[in-house]
Structure formats: structure tokens, C-alpha cells
Amino acid sequence: MFKQLLWKEWRENLWKLTFGGAVSAAFVLLLFRIRLFPDATNCVSISFVQMLVLPVIYALDIFSGEMSNGTIHLLFKFPVPRWKIFISKYFISIGGFLTIFLMSGLLMELIAQGRETDTGFLLKLNASFGISALLLFTWFCPFGAQSRSEAGSLVAMFSVIIGWGIIMLWSGVSEYMWIWHFVPYQYFTLYISENSLEVNMLQLVLSTGMAALGILAVACYRFVKVRRVL
Amino acid sequence: MKTGRIIHQQIMQLKWHFLACLGLLMTLPIEEAIINLKDGEGFYASGLSLGIPVMAGTLLAGLIACGNVQADLDERRHIFWRSKPVGAKSFIALKYMVGLFMAFLVISAPVLFGLISSKVHGEKFDRAFVALIINFQLISLLTYSVCFFCNALVRKTAQAWLIGMAIVCFLLLVPFVLPFRFKDISGDFLLIASTVYIAITVGASLAAFIVSLFAVNHNWHLQTNLKGLLWTGATMIFLAMLLFTRQVANIKVLDEIEIDAEHAYIGSLNRISDSVLLASTFEVDTNNQKIQLVNSFSPPSEALQKQRQGIQPFYTREKDHYPEPFPRYSVVSYCIGEQLYTFRLNSYYIREKVGKNSWAPKYKKAYICSYRLAEGIYRVPVSALDLADCIDEKKAWKAGLRQIDDKLIIFIQDSFAVIQIKADGSLELVEKRINGLKGYSRHLSDREKIFKIPMMSIDGVELNERVKLTVDVNYGYHHFYSSWRSDNLFCENTHVDIDGDKISFCLLDEGGIQRYDVVKWDEEYIYCKFRDERPFTFLEQMFSLVTTDNDPWFLQDGKLYVYENQKLMVFDIRSNSIRKLGHFERLREDYRIRDIEVLDNGDILLCAETEKRIITKSPDPNRKYDDYFIRKGYLSLLKNPE
């Protein structure tokens, strides 16, 4: 049954992969051709927008869509634990947007091969934004798990994006640097800011990983208990 | 149905979106104001915390538009209100206006808060930041209208918002693709009121609004069979766009050759008369946009050797005297007839113990020397003048040299001497001013005020050149001398631009480029005023920061050249606003730009080196690894961006 769930999610979210992939590819082609910015800067600009937009696209209606269409009741009647429904949604979503990240990274490497950066640099840069996007998406899940409208989900996601920005800024100003170990944006700042390189990588992976797992568990719990709020 | 009631209904529909978005955007400025209050500075938000809300406002405007349309146009509800006695066009026009008004209220709230609280606190926003705010308000108008239109067609919030944002991004890139000569996103768009962008944002918003009216009136709903057609159309337009695009701002590499790594060092490119020399050994030929190195080195002839041996040295160096030439890297040359002469300030110091294991140089001698260049690259001493009396042993050492026509101005600490170059290359002292340099004059923090710099009084030097020298001494010799990469900059280059009767100069710091105008001058002072600033964008400062302490920059023919290890940027400083014309970047491991030279035809010659560390397993049983470096040098010919 889990396979069928994955298949359902894949079919339902195919437009996101197509749309996100097409728009990403279009911007990569255009910006790397006109070269308004240097290649690495182009890569950062595109990946940054991808990091903010792709998790939003996927999280937007993955839970709220089922609720607004009323298909959540049908879904819950399937003989499969609810957490598996949640996990199938989660995996298909992250698989989808990470595929777009990989594809755009490869496209950037292909176009900018040997031009301004070392081979593989743009892909690595892209991957760091991909990890940040993954963490951001995980943070969206608990807020979107019981959302009943797309607009509501969108506002919740903007709150997460801006909220982490505020926390990052505030902790920087107040010199509570340990908080940075939980900030999803920390991964991409590793490449673009010289100061961040002093961060202990293992510590960072452990802290963000643990936080992501915890938040995922909360999201799963909220999704499993969804009937109470419907 | 009464208009007032529709407006009320629309406002009630949007109130939660309004409040949520307002809460999101106001958090950051209020947070900054609270932090400022805690620090005892007062309750105000500066431009620092307004950047993110201003940019995020564009996204939220699109969101409000989608929420606004979806509230009445989804599958079930649009049948409901269509049955009411109100025209579809007037209903949707009211909806658009109310939504737009609420979106602007949300977006303007942090800006108004920042403006009012800053004004009360006595802080002022600069012109560029106000332009930035206005431009983002226009972009918000565009995102609102385009998302409104997309949702009227697509009728799905998420998809409409995404399609709308993608269209807006493409629209904002259009001026860079079309032949408008747009090159700099800051200088051509964000920091100025660009008519092209005003036309695009207002025009496209109006068009989106009008088409939305028709779309709703005729109940156009994007059907599945039309989607394929639209995708195909969009792809065709995009491919056509790609076909006609050109490279906008990257500096084109015309040719690049590998050179011996030993020849790529700071100040390795030197202009002598009409030619450019690399490492004082090769003449660089750039005809037909190809780099060719012509080896100028050949052993000196016997006659020359004899001639050099016969010349008495102007100074016999004492045993404990250590030499220090200036300029260390570059060459200052002057051509008299067919003969080339070069000049150098040779100074000598002794090492004075200042601690148990440390010493400090104490300068004892200084000579300005002229040399005749023989057989291409060999220097034959011609004459020397003793300037030891300019040395003040109590002051920190610094030296400078500037050649203006047939005069040399030598700077030693706070003294200077004017030297005449005679027809045979020998030197004659015109005047010497011990402690004649006035101190560094800092420009004022209040940019509205005129500030003055003490004018250098040198007889026989044209007024424009005196103004130029005064500014360069003030900002180049006094202030930035500590830069280890820029000794040749003071000798050869300037911070001043003279365009007809207009004199302006530029200063750089990590924040950006400031342009100042010389408004008037007299025998005592030159009077200057701040004109405008072009901040370095976050994108420009990424990966490697431009820092004025180590990174050289200079002005030539109305362009500002600034480079650091991996990046060269060229700015136009004669246009209404300072705009970036181009960039050259090599984000490769250990790539270091060592020197650049702007050629007579405008092309740029760039010398760089790379140093790669190789680690291998050591054959020595006591050591695990061996490491060594592979160094390579590069000479690149770049097209100067226009």
C-alpha cells in the first residue's frame, strides 16, 4: 500500500516538478547566458530563490490540498497507518525539489564549465542551498499539517521563512551564536561568508539533523491527529 | 448593490491576510527599534531592518492578490456573486482597487514606521535608499497585478502565485535582454528612478488589470487543453528571447596566455613610453587582440658594460645601511626625444634595536635618481639629488613620487620636493618644502556640507594638475599609503576625474563608492561636496570582499577600476549615477590578480597567478606526506566594457 501512496503523491505533485524544473531551467539558461552577474553569483541568486520557493511550492497544498478538497477523509480510510501517509508525502516532496536542485546544479555546471569557477563548485554551492531548502521544508510541515487552505499555508510558510531570518539576525546581534546551529540557512552561508567557515561541521550536521527529526515527529503527530480539528 | 457594501465585504474578506502580512513585515523594524531603545539610542528603525520587509513586501503583495481573487472566483463562489445585481467588470475593478490599497498599506507600514521614527530621532534616509523603496513599491504593484491576473485565469492560489512571480521575474530581466544598454542592477535600476522600469511596472500592471477585467467578465478559465498551447507559446517566446540576448556585464576575455609564474607579481605590468613591459623583461604586443610576448632581454653589449663600470656610484652604501627603493614594483618613466629615462627614490635605513628580538628601521639617506634606459632594459645612472634633509627620524616612514610633465614631485614623510627633469635626463631641484605638507583632511560625515582640502602650492604646475595632486595626496598618500599592493597607484594613477571643466573624485570603502565634486578652489583650499554613492551590493561582496586597505583602485578616462584577488570591476563614474559596466571573476582555487594595465585602445591587460598545493605520500619513512606548490602565471587581454 505504501508504494501506491507514493505513486499517488508522485502523480499529484508531478506538475510541481515540471513547473519548478522548467522555470528553474529557464532562469539558469537566461542568467548564465546574459551574465548580468558572475557565474557564482548567478548560482547563488537562482539557488537562493529556489531555496525559498521550491519548499513553498511543495508544502503549499500537500496537506492543505487534501483538506480543502475533502480527500483527507478518503485518504484516512485506506488501510495504512497515517504516519505512512505523512511520510509518503514528505519523501515525494523532498525527492521532487531536491531533483530540481540537482538538475539546475548540473545545468549550471554544464553551461559554466571551466568559465569562472572550479569544476564542481557550482554544484556544491547548489547542494548547500538544497540542504537549507530541505530543512526549511521540514520546518514548514508542522505548520502546514493541519492547515485547511492554501493561502493559510502560504502565510504560515512566509512566517517560518521570515521568522528564521529574524532569529538569525537577532541571535547575531545579541551574540547568541549557538542558535545558528539550528538555523536552516546556515548551510548556504557556509560558502558565501568567510566567517561562517569556522563553524564545526559535525556539530552543525548533528544539531540541525536532530532539530529536523524532532520537528518532523511533531509534524507527523499533528498530521495523525488531524481529524480533531476538521 | 451599493459600492460601499462591496468595499466593506472585500475588506472583511482580506482582513486576516492583511493582519498576517502586516505582522510579518512589521516584526523586523519593531525588533530593531526595541533593540535600539534597549541600547539607549531611542525607539527607531533604520534602513538596516527595512531592506528585508521592503523586498518581502513584493512576495506578499502577490499573495494578497491571490487571496483576494480566490475568495470570490473559486469554482463555487463565482456562481454566487455572478447572480448578484452587480456588473462583473465593476465588481472586479473594485476588488482590484481594494486589494491594491490593502497591499500598499501592508507594504508601506514598515517604511512609514522607519521614516517617521527615524525623522523623530533625527536620522535621515539617503536618496539611494528612498529610490530603492520606491522601486520595490513599483515591483509590488507589478506582482500584485500580475498575480491578480494569473489567478483570474488559473483560479488556483498556489499555481497562480508561482506563475505570477515567474512572469514578474522575467519582466524585470527584460530591460537587460533588450538593447537598452542596461548593465547594472543597482546603478541602472534599483537605486535610481529608471523610466524604462517605471514604464514596465506601470504599463504591465495596467495591462494585467484590463485583461483581468475581460477575463472575469467573459469567465475565461484556463482549461486543460489550453495549457499545452500556453506552455508551447511560453517556450517559443523564451527561446526567441535567448536567441537575441547578448552578454550584459561580464568582461569579455579576448585572449589569455600562460606565462612563467615568476613574472606574475604585484606591479609586474609597467607602461614605458608607448609599450607595456611584463616583469621588465618582455614587451607585451596586443595587436589583433592576441597577446604576444617579445623578449626584450639580451645580455648587455661590451660597450654598455664598460660604460656602466666607468660611472661612479652616487652613493657608496655603508655596511649597516639597507636599501629600500621606491617605487618598489613599478617604473616611473619619461621620454625625452628618443631617449627614455626612469626615476626612483633610493632610501637607506639602519636597523635599530627596539626590544630584545626586534628592530625598527631608521631612515638615514634618501636620493632621487634618474637613469637612462640603454639597450632596452638596462639602467645607466644619470644623476642623483640628495634629499636626506627631508627625513624626520621621529616620524613614521612613508614616501611617494609623482611625475607631472617634466617635473617630479617627491614626497618624504611630511616634506616634498619639486624636481625639474632636464633635457639630458639630469635632475635639478626647483624647491624643497620641509614639513610643507598639510595634514590629512577628512571629508565630513554630514554629506550636505562643503568640505575643504588644503591646496598644494607648486609653481609651474597647471591648476587642474595641482587640484588632482592635492586630492591624491590627501586620500592616496596620507590616508591609504599603508596598502602594500598600491605603491604604483600613487605614482601612476589617480582618484580624480577631469571631464572638461568638471572635476570630481571617488573614494572607496567596504560599503561602496562615493563620488565627490570639486565645486571651487582658490590658492588656499579646494572645496568639495558629496555627490552620490553607489553601495556594493550583497551579491558583489559575496565570496570575496573588496577591502580598500589591500585592494587597488584607480580612475582612468571616466572609469573606475577596482580589483581584488579574484575579481575586477569597472564602473562608469561620468554618468548621472555611478553604474557598473562590467565584471571579471575567476573564483578558482588560489587565483590572484597581481596587476592590471589599461592600454591605449581601452583594452585591459591583466596579470594573475595561481598557486596550487599538492600533497603526496612521502618516501621519507619519518614523514607521512610531502607537499609542494604548483605556480602558474596568466596574462589576459580583456575587452574594456562600455
Side-chain angles (χ1 to χ4, degrees):
Chain A
M1 197 66 197
F2 188 62
K3 266 188 192 171
Q4 277 89 335
L5 277 177
L6 288 176
W7 173 248
K8 169 200 163 283
E9 293 303 332
W10 164 254
R11 292 292 303 168
E12 272 182 6
N13 291 294
L14 194 59
W15 75 267
K16 296 173 184 173
L17 190 66
T18 323
F19 179 80
V23 173
S24 288
F27 275 102
V28 170
L29 284 172
L30 190 64
L31 282 178
F32 275 74
R33 175 161 168 81
I34 65 172
R35 300 178 79 175
L36 181 60
F37 307 114
D39 288 343
T41 312
N42 271 333
C43 174
V44 169
S45 317
I46 294 168
S47 307
F48 181 76
V49 175
Q50 279 182 343
M51 182 200 74
L52 295 182
V53 173
L54 290 178
V56 171
I57 298 182
Y58 273 91
L60 202 57
D61 64 348
I62 194 130
F63 303 113
S64 65
E66 303 279 7
M67 315 241 188
S68 59
N69 295 333
T71 49
I72 191 85
H73 300 291
L74 190 69
L75 201 57
F76 281 169
K77 285 193 174 77
F78 287 162
V80 61
R82 287 183 185 186
W83 65 267
K84 279 195 178 177
I85 299 172
F86 174 82
I87 290 294
S88 67
K89 284 179 180 295
Y90 183 77
F91 280 143
I92 288 297
S93 299
I94 60 167
F97 68 74
L98 289 182
T99 306
I100 298 173
F101 266 102
L102 183 71
M103 184 214 69
S104 59
L106 287 173
L107 193 61
M108 286 173 198
E109 276 292 335
L110 197 73
I111 299 170
Q113 176 70 32
R115 214 157 68 174
E116 288 181 7
T117 52
D118 285 326
T119 308
F121 179 78
L122 297 179
L123 196 62
K124 269 195 283 184
L125 201 59
N126 205 269
S128 67
F129 279 92
I131 297 169
S132 289
L134 172 66
L135 293 171
L136 215 47
F137 178 78
T138 310
W139 276 97
F140 288 160
C141 289
F143 297 96
Q146 291 188 348
S147 177
R148 276 168 286 174
S149 74
E150 290 178 4
S153 295
L154 208 54
V155 172
M157 282 158 215
F158 278 132
S159 309
V160 172
I161 292 171
I162 297 175
W164 270 120
I166 291 168
I167 292 172
M168 197 174 177
L169 196 79
W170 170 79
S171 54
V173 170
S174 310
E175 293 181 2
Y176 293 135
M177 302 316 281
W178 59 270
I179 295 177
W180 283 38
H181 281 98
F182 300 98
V183 178
Y185 312 130
Q186 183 66 359
Y187 280 91
F188 78 80
T189 60
L190 286 180
Y191 276 98
I192 59 176
S193 162
E194 287 168 13
N195 299 337
S196 304
L197 287 172
E198 292 160 14
V199 168
N200 183 330
M201 218 30 206
L202 183 70
Q203 231 177 36
L204 183 67
V205 171
L206 275 177
S207 51
T208 45
M210 296 291 277
L213 280 177
I215 213 72
L216 200 61
V218 173
C220 189
Y221 177 79
R222 278 174 64 82
F223 185 75
V224 167
K225 299 289 174 192
V226 87
R227 190 183 284 268
R228 290 180 188 172
V229 292
L230 277 178
Chain B
M1 192 177 262
K2 286 182 180 172
T3 312
R5 288 186 187 169
I6 299 177
I7 293 173
H8 179 259
Q9 180 246 344
Q10 293 300 312
I11 291 173
M12 294 315 284
Q13 240 174 26
L14 279 177
K15 71 177 175 195
W16 293 115
H17 290 89
F18 174 80
L19 289 173
C21 294
L22 190 67
L24 282 177
L25 293 189
M26 287 304 291
T27 316
L28 214 56
I30 288 178
E31 186 191 11
E32 197 206 348
I34 291 170
I35 290 174
N36 285 340
L37 188 68
K38 268 187 170 178
D39 292 345
E41 292 177 18
F43 189 76
Y44 77 100
S46 65
L48 182 76
S49 63
L50 291 182
I52 295 171
V54 163
M55 283 183 236
T58 56
L59 304 177
L60 295 183
L63 176 67
I64 291 175
C66 289
N68 189 16
V69 176
Q70 198 63 18
D72 279 315
L73 279 188
D74 77 358
E75 285 303 326
R76 289 169 291 232
R77 273 180 228 159
H78 86 103
I79 298 165
F80 169 74
W81 67 258
R82 270 178 204 280
S83 66
K84 300 289 169 196
V86 58
K89 275 187 186 171
S90 47
F91 178 74
I92 215 73
L94 266 178
K95 193 173 200 38
Y96 176 88
M97 292 301 171
V98 171
L100 187 64
F101 174 71
M102 292 184 83
F104 268 104
L105 270 187
V106 170
I107 298 160
S108 309
V111 178
L112 284 175
F113 174 71
L115 271 175
I116 294 167
S117 61
S118 297
K119 189 141 189 144
V120 169
H121 188 255
E123 295 268 323
K124 257 194 285 186
F125 288 166
D126 59 18
R127 209 169 43 187
F129 190 68
V130 174
L132 184 88
I133 290 171
I134 292 169
N135 281 319
F136 269 98
Q137 300 275 345
L138 284 173
I139 298 172
S140 302
L141 169 71
L142 184 65
T143 51
Y144 177 84
S145 307
V146 172
C147 288
F148 190 92
F149 161 68
C150 289
N151 211 353
L153 275 187
V154 179
R155 312 269 171 97
K156 279 183 180 166
T157 314
Q159 292 185 17
W161 183 75
L162 292 168
I163 296 169
M165 296 318 285
I167 293 173
V168 168
C169 288
F170 274 114
L171 281 175
L172 293 179
L173 276 178
V174 161
F176 291 95
V177 177
L178 298 175
F180 284 118
R181 295 178 60 80
F182 274 49
K183 281 167 175 278
D184 182 14
I185 204 144
S186 298
D188 287 330
F189 164 39
L190 289 176
L191 303 179
I192 59 159
S194 157
T195 42
V196 174
Y197 268 100
I198 292 172
I200 284 179
T201 46
V202 176
S205 304
L206 210 61
F209 169 60
I210 292 167
V211 181
S212 305
L213 290 185
F214 280 97
V216 177
N217 195 32
H218 296 286
N219 200 16
W220 292 342
H221 186 176
L222 196 61
Q223 300 300 319
T224 317
N225 56 350
L226 282 177
K227 279 182 187 166
L229 199 68
L230 275 179
W231 273 104
T232 317
T235 313
M236 296 286 279
I237 292 170
F238 177 73
L239 289 178
M241 208 164 143
L242 269 191
L243 200 68
F244 292 107
T245 50
R246 69 210 149 79
Q247 295 187 2
V248 177
N250 71 304
I251 294 175
K252 197 174 170 190
V253 181
L254 300 171
D255 193 22
E256 188 167 275
I257 60 165
E258 201 175 311
I259 56 171
D260 191 338
E262 297 305 316
H263 295 141
Y265 55 83
I266 299 155
S268 53
L269 292 172
N270 279 298
R271 177 182 288 269
I272 293 186
S273 189
D274 293 333
S275 52
V276 175
L277 283 188
L278 171 69
S280 303
T281 308
F282 299 97
E283 193 179 326
V284 185
D285 178 9
T286 54
N287 277 338
N288 304 321
Q289 300 188 331
K290 290 273 169 212
I291 304 174
Q292 276 187 323
L293 294 182
V294 183
N295 195 344
S296 320
F297 180 81
S298 58
S301 64
E302 272 185 30
L304 181 62
Q305 273 178 343
K306 273 186 187 170
Q307 197 185 354
R308 289 176 85 185
Q309 281 163 6
I311 294 170
Q312 284 294 316
F314 56 86
Y315 168 64
T316 312
R317 185 160 73 89
E318 288 169 33
K319 209 179 169 186
D320 59 343
H321 278 197
Y322 295 88
E324 186 172 297
F326 183 88
R328 185 189 289 268
Y329 308 113
S330 55
V331 178
V332 178
S333 66
Y334 184 59
C335 194
I336 303 173
E338 296 281 296
Q339 184 59 53
L340 265 172
Y341 294 93
T342 65
F343 309 95
R344 177 181 269 185
L345 179 72
N346 291 307
S347 49
Y348 299 87
Y349 61 86
I350 56 164
R351 291 178 171 185
E352 195 177 62
K353 262 201 150 181
V354 288
K356 258 189 179 176
N357 300 314
S358 56
W359 56 269
K362 196 167 191 179
Y363 285 82
K364 293 287 180 188
K365 303 274 180 192
Y367 295 91
I368 174 71
C369 308
S370 67
Y371 304 89
R372 178 170 60 86
L373 277 187
E375 295 178 13
I377 57 168
Y378 295 102
R379 289 183 312 173
V380 181
V382 176
S383 77
L385 286 175
D386 188 354
L387 298 173
D389 49 352
C390 291
I391 300 172
D392 185 343
E393 290 185 10
K394 288 173 192 160
K395 288 182 181 167
W397 176 257
K398 61 179 174 177
L401 195 157
R402 175 68 70 92
Q403 181 214 328
I404 302 171
D405 300 328
D406 59 350
K407 286 191 175 59
L408 285 175
I409 323 289
I410 320 293
F411 300 89
I412 297 172
Q413 294 162 319
D414 291 339
S415 305
F416 71 93
V418 183
I419 313 282
Q420 177 78 41
I421 307 166
K422 291 164 77 178
D424 60 350
S426 60
L427 304 172
E428 186 183 56
L429 182 72
V430 178
E431 64 171 320
K432 198 188 284 181
R433 302 263 183 97
I434 308 295
N435 290 324
L437 278 183
K438 288 157 191 165
Y440 167 61
S441 168
R442 181 173 285 277
H443 46 281
L444 301 172
S445 55
D446 184 352
R447 289 176 161 178
E448 297 299 314
K449 283 186 180 165
I450 291 176
F451 61 96
K452 52 191 184 181
I453 302 170
M455 175 76 111
M456 284 195 69
S457 54
I458 300 170
D459 294 333
V461 174
E462 208 184 315
L463 196 65
N464 277 354
E465 288 296 334
R466 269 173 64 197
V467 172
K468 198 190 241 186
L469 183 67
T470 302
V471 175
D472 283 336
V473 166
N474 196 51
Y475 293 109
Y477 177 70
H478 275 324
H479 190 49
F480 291 122
Y481 183 75
S482 56
S483 172
W484 58 273
R485 286 180 72 156
S486 59
D487 77 333
N488 61 341
L489 289 180
F490 181 71
C491 294
E492 297 176 349
N493 300 304
T494 177
H495 298 164
V496 184
D497 177 51
I498 300 177
D499 182 20
D501 55 352
K502 220 166 135 185
I503 303 178
S504 54
F505 62 92
C506 287
L507 298 177
L508 240 84
D509 60 25
E510 286 177 16
I513 304 160
Q514 296 97 40
R515 183 164 52 170
Y516 296 84
D517 283 333
V518 174
V519 287
K520 61 176 182 178
W521 56 82
D522 53 33
E523 280 306 312
E524 288 293 312
Y525 294 104
I526 59 172
Y527 298 84
C528 316
K529 191 173 187 292
F530 171 80
R531 185 163 157 201
D532 57 359
E533 183 176 30
R534 197 270 189 199
F536 289 131
T537 61
F538 170 70
L539 295 174
E540 281 162 0
Q541 288 289 51
M542 225 163 28
F543 302 110
S544 45
L545 289 168
V546 173
T547 53
T548 45
D549 279 348
N550 281 324
D551 299 325
W553 52 277
F554 61 89
L555 265 70
Q556 196 169 320
D557 299 327
K559 288 179 186 167
L560 169 77
Y561 300 82
V562 53
Y563 62 98
E564 43 90 58
N565 283 332
Q566 295 170 321
K567 198 187 311 182
L568 159 72
M569 291 189 280
V570 182
F571 293 88
D572 175 13
I573 51 113
R574 280 191 188 163
S575 54
N576 289 336
S577 59
I578 303 168
R579 49 196 290 266
K580 193 171 87 179
L581 293 174
H583 53 76
F584 168 88
E585 188 172 278
R586 288 283 182 274
L587 216 63
R588 293 182 188 151
E589 197 181 359
D590 299 325
Y591 188 87
R592 304 277 180 267
I593 298 175
R594 289 309 188 198
D595 200 10
I596 72 166
E597 188 69 45
V598 182
L599 306 177
D600 291 334
N601 64 0
D603 291 344
I604 303 165
L605 206 55
L606 179 142
C607 184
E609 68 162 343
T610 55
E611 191 178 65
K612 202 170 186 179
R613 189 178 177 205
I614 306 287
I615 301 171
T616 53
K617 222 173 176 184
S618 175
D620 183 353
N622 296 326
R623 279 217 314 257
K624 230 178 177 181
Y625 299 106
D626 279 340
D627 63 340
Y628 60 95
F629 291 90
I630 296 179
R631 290 182 66 220
K632 281 181 182 173
Y634 298 94
L635 201 58
S636 310
L637 183 65
L638 312 175
K639 186 156 179 57
N640 205 330
E642 296 298 333

